């Protein structure tokens, strides 16, 4: 430190350590100076481990360089303190010493850095460092501090500060922990011994490089002989072969991790591993029974299920799925079997219609085969099973059967009314062969355009047909058995209306041509086309011509384009809209039908003013009187804008007016009152049905009879038999009328205006009834002295009754 002699950190508690160093210096010089110097010496004090006499260049305060020879002592840059150590006095960690200290010099040692002054305290005179607190290596493993020797009088440094480390030495005070536990793992069933299951990991907070405090060894406490664990890698493997999931699916394995290499005295921790065996396909499907029998009516629809066959499989999931097939039998072409996905049952369905008269029973051989087969188990039992299915056909009254599933009829649109356009036939497939009657489902022929002969099924025309209105007609014919009207069948009949030439051609649209005043001769004014509502087989071909009297029209001529279109051409130029604004050109259009039809359509041609490039600008004479630069279109646009602005202003004013109006209109004259009646006295402490209609049913009555409790009858009457009310479906009106009648004719009580009875106080009243009407004793035998014991609320009542008794006695 001073004069090149740094602070030495002596870990021996006494100065005897220095004597030990002087004796064994020649032997341990290399171990102390070379290795620590290479790995532990600070970079700013590379000579801290030297022990011989060296020349050192020192710089004095005035800047002069002085070459001094000094003898260095033992210097360590690390100290150690045992964690969790506690005692009555602070622990001596080590001692700082400099060769500049002859023992009586004025040198003061200063300690700074992590924990200096709080955790670690130094004696400034002797250099002894003590740990003042109990240390935990797991919280902090080392502390970096700086030592310096200064003159105690001037506080000037005698040598540069030296940095050293105090390491907290570990003890085995932490047990292993499985931070990710408990674990869950899966392994396929029937796995061989040594199959990997999972790997667990335990951690130990102790120092892994010091001693065996963090050296862990794993073992199984529970889970043998099914599983094993490698002691050092913690890999869990199967230890028993052929573990069957169907016998046991889940195993709980308890794993222990012990430190100190597993030796006695070490700490341990445990975790659980839940191992679930996953399924493999090691079980074949098995039919619940070897033979199934089903009875099927012959009128069952195609595609309907006639029965189910069940093949049980002890496996689960995909391994339990099976496919079904008919492998033999006389009904392979009549039936099919499919797999019902939700239930994994074999569903037998009908493929073709059954006929009891031709065949009454069928026999099938059904096979169930696993879809996903594991090759490891194919050498054992076959993964399939078979069962026999017997199907008995039951006779049924079948509906009529048409000779065709659908009928297509063709009829010309000019066919005669009541003429036959087609016929349908049907028969009864049963042996009884009931006669058949035919009819039309009028829901499919709302206009009643067709009729049918009920006996032979001939269809006739009831009204005229028009192909241009409706080209197709779809009706339904109903066949009914004469002996059983519930047996009916329906068949669709499609009627196609064939075309006849009954419509003349006409313009495709209302054409309006425009002719420029400055047009040229031979210029095409307009191209028109025609349409014909008819639909000839060979397509349309139209002929165009002018009226005979206009064949030599001086203004216009026509040209057939040979594509069913016509072009109108101008014969000359110099048209003037002031002289004639509109020209009408009649054109004759003829079709190629048999017989041909024709019509005359008139083309309107307007003379317009055009620009030099032929763009139409104005087509009426009034355009000449308009102001220059302002066309009719511009005026219309201006007027439209003005109207739009007016509409916006009106809407804005209307919305503002509605906004100021109140949202809720209050009518001061609309005064309504709620009448609430409080005259219901209830039925006692347990009466929770004060407004329930069920209280009218006398819950304690016998056959609807409840004895009156507001009077004391002189003699006992038999219960009145009224209408018995039940909790469900109470006729309130009838019930009240009966009660009124009984009250009016009861000789034991005066008439009452109301039948409301307050004698029922509920069941199980704690205080009991206060009424004296049900008392079996007479008034003279009744003693009311006990009312005074009930408290101040009943004191006045007791006095009143006592007065009454005195009056009776006098």
């Amino acid at each position: 430190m001073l004069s090149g002699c740094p602070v030495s950190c002596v870990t021996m508690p006494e100065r005897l350590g220095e004597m030990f160093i002087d004796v064994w210096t020649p032997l341990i010089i290399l171990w102390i100076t070379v290795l620590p110097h290479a790995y532990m010496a600070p970079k700013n004090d590379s000579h801290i481990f030297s022990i011989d006499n060296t020349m050192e260049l020192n710089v004095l305060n005035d800047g002069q360089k002085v070459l001094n020879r000094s003898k260095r002592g033992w210097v360590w840059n690390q100290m150690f303190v045992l964690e969790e150590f506690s005692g009555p006095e602070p622990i001596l960690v080590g001692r700082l010493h400099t060769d500049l200290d002859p023992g009586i010099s004025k040198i003061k040692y200063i300690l700074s850095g992590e924990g200096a002054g709080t955790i670690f305290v130094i004696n400034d005179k002797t250099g002894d460092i003590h740990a003042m607190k109990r240390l935990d290596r797991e919280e902090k493993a080392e502390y970096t501090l700086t030592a310096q020797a200064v003159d105690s009088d001037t506080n000037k440094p005698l040598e540069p500060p030296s940095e050293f480390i105090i390491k907290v030495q570990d003890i085995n005070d932490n047990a292993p922990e499985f931070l990710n536990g408990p674990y869950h793992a899966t392994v396929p069933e029937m796995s061989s011994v040594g199959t990997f299951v999972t790997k667990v990991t335990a951690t130990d907070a102790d120092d892994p490089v010091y001693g065996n405090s963090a050296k862990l060894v794993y073992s199984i406490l529970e889970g043998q002989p099914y599983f094993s664990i490698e002691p050092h890698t913690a890999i869990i493997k199967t230890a028993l072969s052929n573990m069957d999931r169907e016998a046991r699916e889940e195993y709980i394995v308890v794993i222990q991790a012990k430190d100190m290499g597993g030796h006695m005295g070490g700490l341990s921790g445990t975790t659980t591993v839940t191992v679930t065996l996953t399924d493999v396909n090691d079980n074949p499907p098995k039919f619940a029974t070897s033979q199934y029998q089903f009875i099927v009516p012959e009128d069952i629809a195609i595609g309907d299920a006639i029965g189910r066959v069940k093949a049980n499989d002890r496996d689960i999931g995909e391994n339990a799925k099976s496919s079904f097939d008919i492998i033999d039998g006389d009904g392979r072409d009549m039936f099919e079997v499919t797999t019902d996905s939700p239930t994994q049952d074999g569903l037998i369905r009908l493929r073709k219609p059954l006929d009891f008269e031709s065949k009454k029973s069928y026999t099938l051989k059904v096979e169930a085969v696993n879809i996903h087969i594991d090759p490891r188990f194919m050498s054992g039992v076959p993964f399939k099973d078979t069962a026999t299915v017997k199907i008995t056909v039951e006779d049924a009254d079948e509906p009529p059967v048409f000779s065709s599933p659908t009928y297509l009829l063709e009829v010309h649109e000019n066919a005669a009314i009541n003429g036959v356009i087609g016929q349908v036939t049907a028969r009864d497939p049963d042996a009884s062969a009931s006669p058949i009657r035919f009819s039309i489902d009028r829901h499919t022929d709302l206009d009643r355009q067709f009729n049918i002969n009920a006996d032979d099924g001939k269809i006739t025309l009831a009204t005229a047909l028009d192909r241009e209105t409706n080209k197709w007609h779809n009706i339904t014919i109903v066949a009914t058995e004469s002996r059983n009207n519930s047996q009916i069948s329906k068949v669709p009949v499609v009627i196609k209306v064939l075309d006849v030439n009954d419509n003349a051609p006409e313009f495709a649209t209302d054409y309006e041509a425009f002719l420029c005043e400055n047009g040229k001769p031979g210029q095409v004014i307009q191209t028109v086309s025609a349409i014909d509502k008819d639909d000839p087989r060979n397509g349309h071909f139209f002929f165009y011509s002018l009226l005979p009297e206009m064949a030599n029209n001086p203004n216009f001529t026509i040209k057939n384009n040979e594509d069913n279109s016509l072009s109108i051409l101008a014969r000359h130029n110099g048209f003037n809209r002031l002289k004639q604004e509109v020209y009408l050109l009649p054109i004759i259009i003829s079709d190629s039908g048999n017989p041909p039809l024709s019509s005359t359509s008139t083309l309107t041609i307007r003379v317009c003013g055009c620009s030099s490039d032929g763009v139409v600008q104005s087509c009426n004479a009034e355009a000449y009187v308009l102001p220059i630069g302002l066309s009719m279109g511009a005026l219309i646009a201006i007027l439209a804008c003005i109207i739009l602005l007016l509409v916006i202003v009106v809407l804005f004013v209307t919305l503002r007016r509605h906004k100021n109006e109140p949202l809720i209109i209050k009518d001061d004259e609309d005064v309504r009152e709620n009448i609430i009646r409080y005259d219901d006295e209830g039925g006692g402490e347990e009466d929770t049905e004060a407004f329930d209609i069920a209280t009218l049913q006398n819950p304690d009555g016998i056959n609807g009879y409840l004895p009156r409790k507001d009077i004391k009858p002189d003699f006992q009457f038999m219960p009145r038999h009224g209408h018995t009310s039940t909790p469900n479906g109470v006729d309130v009106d009838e019930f009240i009328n009966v009660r009124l009648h009984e009250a009016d004719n009861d000789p034991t009580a005066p008439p009452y205006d109301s039948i409301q009875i307050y004698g029922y106080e509920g069941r199980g009243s704690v205080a009991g009834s206060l009424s004296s009407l049900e008392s079996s004793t007479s008034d003279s035998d009744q003693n009311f002295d006990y009312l005074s014991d009930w408290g101040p609320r009943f004191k006045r009542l007791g006095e009143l009754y006592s007065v009454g008794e005195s009056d009776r006695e006098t």
Side-chain angles (χ1 to χ4, degrees):
M1 294 172 67
L2 293 178
S3 301
C5 182
V7 177
S8 63
C9 303
V10 181
T11 59
M12 300 297 180
E14 304 292 341
R15 293 293 296 175
L16 294 175
E18 299 178 1
M19 297 172 60
F20 176 80
I21 294 173
D22 292 336
V23 175
W24 292 96
T25 295
L27 297 178
I28 60 175
I29 180 77
L30 294 176
W31 180 64
I32 295 297
T33 59
V34 178
L35 294 178
H37 181 72
Y39 296 100
M40 297 183 291
K43 294 181 180 180
N44 60 354
D45 197 5
S46 61
H47 61 277
I48 194 168
F49 294 105
S50 62
I51 194 170
D52 56 352
N53 294 330
T54 59
M55 295 298 292
E56 198 171 76
L57 183 63
N58 294 329
V59 180
L60 301 182
N61 295 334
D62 56 0
Q64 298 180 1
K65 297 181 179 180
V66 180
L67 188 61
N68 297 328
R69 180 183 300 274
S70 61
K71 181 180 181 181
R72 298 190 180 276
W74 280 102
V75 178
W76 289 15
N77 76 328
Q78 287 187 357
M79 294 183 182
F80 298 90
V81 60
L82 197 63
E83 72 167 328
E84 302 294 345
F85 182 83
S86 62
E89 296 181 359
I91 309 168
L92 178 62
V93 179
R95 177 179 299 169
L96 297 180
H97 181 68
T98 178
D99 290 345
L100 298 177
D101 185 5
I104 58 173
S105 61
K106 297 179 180 180
I107 295 178
K108 182 171 67 175
Y109 296 95
I110 298 176
L111 187 66
S112 62
E114 297 177 336
T118 56
I119 301 176
F120 303 103
V121 177
I122 189 172
N123 189 318
D124 58 354
K125 294 181 176 56
T126 63
D128 292 339
I129 300 174
H130 291 83
M132 307 302 294
K133 296 182 179 180
R134 186 175 179 177
L135 302 179
D136 187 0
R137 190 201 67 84
E138 285 70 41
E139 293 183 2
K140 189 172 180 61
E142 62 181 33
Y143 299 83
T144 303
L145 298 102
T146 303
Q148 190 175 25
V150 299
D151 191 303
S152 60
D153 293 333
T154 63
N155 285 330
K156 290 184 178 180
L158 300 179
E159 62 178 23
S162 296
E163 188 178 84
F164 66 98
I165 297 174
I166 297 178
K167 289 191 174 183
V168 183
Q169 202 167 20
D170 183 54
I171 64 172
N172 189 19
D173 59 341
N174 292 279
E177 294 182 354
F178 292 90
L179 301 180
N180 297 325
Y183 297 86
H184 295 270
T186 59
V187 64
E189 64 172 331
M190 311 302 290
S191 296
S192 59
V193 176
T195 301
F196 175 83
V197 178
T198 187
K199 180 180 180 180
V200 297
T201 302
T203 59
D204 196 317
D206 292 324
D207 193 351
V209 299
Y210 179 78
N212 295 328
S213 299
K215 186 177 181 181
L216 305 181
V217 174
Y218 299 89
S219 61
I220 290 183
L221 299 183
E222 295 181 15
Q224 295 174 335
Y226 306 104
F227 302 96
S228 63
I229 187 170
E230 294 184 0
H232 300 291
T233 61
I235 295 177
I236 302 174
K237 300 180 179 180
T238 58
L240 191 65
S241 61
N242 299 329
M243 286 189 292
D244 191 0
R245 185 201 65 83
E246 288 72 32
R248 182 178 177 183
E249 184 176 5
E250 190 175 87
Y251 297 84
I252 304 298
V253 182
V254 179
I255 305 297
Q256 181 190 62
K258 191 173 184 181
D259 59 15
M260 299 301 292
H263 298 302
M264 184 178 298
L267 303 178
S268 64
T270 60
T271 188
T272 58
V273 181
T274 303
V275 182
T276 303
L277 298 182
T278 57
D279 186 63
V280 298
N281 192 8
D282 58 340
N283 293 281
K286 185 69 176 177
F287 279 106
T289 180
S290 60
Q291 186 170 347
Y292 294 86
Q293 289 187 350
F294 302 107
I295 298 177
V296 184
E298 65 172 328
D299 57 354
I300 186 173
I302 295 176
D304 287 353
I306 64 173
R308 292 173 177 265
V309 292
K310 179 70 174 178
N312 299 315
D313 196 321
R314 298 178 63 192
D315 298 319
I316 59 176
E318 295 292 327
N319 296 322
K321 291 184 177 180
S322 300
S323 62
F324 296 87
D325 192 17
I326 300 174
I327 60 175
D328 197 5
D330 56 358
R332 297 181 63 180
D333 58 339
M334 296 292 296
F335 304 94
E336 64 180 358
V337 59
T338 58
T339 303
D340 186 13
S341 298
T343 62
Q344 286 298 303
D345 294 343
L347 205 59
I348 301 176
R349 299 180 182 274
L350 184 66
R351 294 180 60 186
K352 296 181 180 180
L354 297 174
D355 187 8
F356 173 81
E357 288 71 23
S358 60
K359 189 172 179 61
K360 299 178 174 58
S361 65
Y362 298 89
T363 301
L364 307 175
K365 189 174 183 180
V366 180
E367 181 183 63
V369 182
N370 274 151
I371 298 176
H372 305 283
I373 299 177
D374 196 329
R376 295 178 299 171
F377 306 101
M378 292 183 63
S379 60
V381 296
F383 283 79
K384 59 184 178 180
D385 193 19
T386 58
T388 302
V389 178
K390 291 187 176 181
I391 301 174
T392 302
V393 181
E394 196 175 48
D395 189 20
D397 189 4
E398 299 176 82
V401 177
F402 283 94
S403 60
S404 176
T406 182
Y407 292 88
L408 175 62
L409 306 179
E410 293 184 349
V411 57
H412 286 87
E413 60 179 327
N414 61 351
I417 298 176
N418 296 327
V420 177
I421 61 175
Q423 183 179 12
V424 296
T425 58
R427 65 178 182 85
D428 183 6
D430 297 321
S432 59
S434 173
I436 306 298
R437 296 187 62 81
F438 300 94
S439 62
I440 297 178
D441 185 355
R442 291 303 176 182
H443 292 91
T444 61
D445 184 26
L446 297 177
D447 296 333
R448 293 183 175 271
Q449 292 184 286
F450 306 96
N451 291 324
I452 190 171
N453 189 299
D455 297 324
D456 56 13
K458 291 182 179 180
I459 302 173
T460 58
L461 191 63
T463 60
L465 299 177
D466 185 7
R467 190 203 66 85
E468 288 71 37
T469 303
N470 195 351
K471 185 178 180 180
W472 296 92
H473 295 271
N474 297 290
I475 63 175
T476 300
I477 304 299
V478 181
T480 307
E481 290 186 8
S482 299
R483 298 174 185 172
N484 186 358
N485 293 332
S486 63
Q487 293 297 329
I488 62 174
S489 294
K490 296 182 178 181
V491 67
V493 177
V494 179
I495 301 173
K496 181 180 179 180
V497 182
L498 301 179
D499 182 61
V500 296
N501 191 26
D502 57 348
N503 291 278
E506 58 186 6
F507 275 160
T509 183
D510 293 333
Y511 291 103
E512 186 176 13
F514 299 95
L515 173 65
C516 292
E517 291 179 315
N518 55 356
K520 298 179 180 179
Q523 180 180 358
V524 176
I525 301 173
Q526 181 72 42
T527 299
V528 299
S529 61
I531 58 173
D532 193 331
K533 295 180 181 179
D534 295 322
D535 186 17
R537 294 184 177 181
N538 298 325
H540 291 288
F541 187 78
F542 301 119
F543 303 94
Y544 300 93
S545 63
L546 296 175
L547 291 176
E549 59 270 19
M550 299 185 66
N552 297 319
N553 191 304
N555 297 316
F556 307 101
T557 184
I558 60 175
K559 176 185 177 182
N560 281 292
N561 297 326
E562 297 183 356
D563 58 354
N564 284 339
S565 66
L566 176 72
S567 296
I568 292 89
L569 292 79
R571 283 183 176 271
H572 61 82
N573 57 1
F575 289 93
N576 192 338
R577 54 180 164 165
L578 294 178
K579 295 181 180 180
Q580 185 172 352
E581 183 180 357
V582 178
Y583 292 88
L584 300 178
L585 183 64
I587 299 174
I588 300 174
I589 309 173
S590 303
D591 60 18
S592 57
N594 187 18
L597 298 178
S598 63
S599 67
T600 302
S601 298
T602 302
L603 177 65
T604 301
I605 303 174
R606 293 185 178 275
V607 181
C608 302
C610 303
S611 62
S612 59
D613 53 356
V615 178
V616 176
Q617 292 181 337
S618 176
C619 296
N620 48 27
E622 288 78 2
Y624 285 103
V625 300
L626 291 176
I628 299 176
L630 189 63
S631 63
M632 180 64 68
L635 289 176
I636 294 174
I638 293 172
L639 291 176
C641 292
I642 295 173
I643 294 173
L644 181 61
L645 290 175
L646 290 176
V647 171
I648 293 174
V649 172
V650 172
L651 289 176
F652 179 78
V653 173
T654 304
L655 291 176
R656 290 294 299 271
R657 181 174 300 173
H658 281 289
K659 184 176 181 182
N660 295 331
E661 292 180 358
L663 298 177
I664 301 177
I665 300 176
K666 296 183 179 179
D667 189 358
D668 296 336
E669 297 179 359
D670 186 13
V671 179
R672 303 181 183 181
E673 296 180 355
N674 294 326
I675 301 176
I676 303 174
R677 300 185 61 180
Y678 299 95
D679 58 346
D680 181 52
E681 297 185 6
E685 296 169 2
E686 289 190 358
D687 182 14
T688 61
E689 301 174 342
F691 296 94
D692 192 350
I693 193 63
T695 57
L696 296 175
Q697 302 179 18
N698 282 334
D700 292 336
I702 302 175
N703 295 329
Y705 172 74
L706 181 67
R708 303 185 68 91
K709 298 184 179 181
D710 54 348
I711 64 171
K712 183 177 181 182
D714 296 334
F715 52 90
Q716 184 69 33
F717 286 88
M718 292 300 293
R720 297 187 295 267
H721 295 281
H723 293 274
T724 303
S725 298
T726 59
N728 298 325
V730 177
D731 189 345
V732 178
D733 184 53
E734 180 181 359
F735 179 84
I736 292 176
N737 290 333
V738 171
R739 287 292 185 260
L740 286 173
H741 178 75
E742 293 175 354
D744 293 340
N745 295 279
D746 190 354
T748 63
Y752 283 81
D753 293 335
S754 172
I755 65 169
Q756 180 69 32
I757 298 174
Y758 302 102
Y760 177 65
E761 299 185 0
R763 304 177 181 88
S765 177
V766 177
S769 175
L770 297 179
S771 174
S772 62
L773 298 178
E774 293 181 338
S775 175
S776 60
T777 60
S778 63
D779 294 341
S780 60
D781 297 333
Q782 185 71 27
N783 187 2
F784 300 96
D785 294 338
Y786 62 90
L787 294 175
S788 300
D789 300 334
W790 285 11
R793 294 185 179 181
F794 298 91
K795 183 177 180 181
R796 179 59 179 168
L797 184 62
E799 293 175 358
L800 293 174
Y801 272 93
S802 298
V803 171
E805 292 178 1
S806 301
D807 294 342
R808 286 196 298 270
E809 291 177 0
T810 57

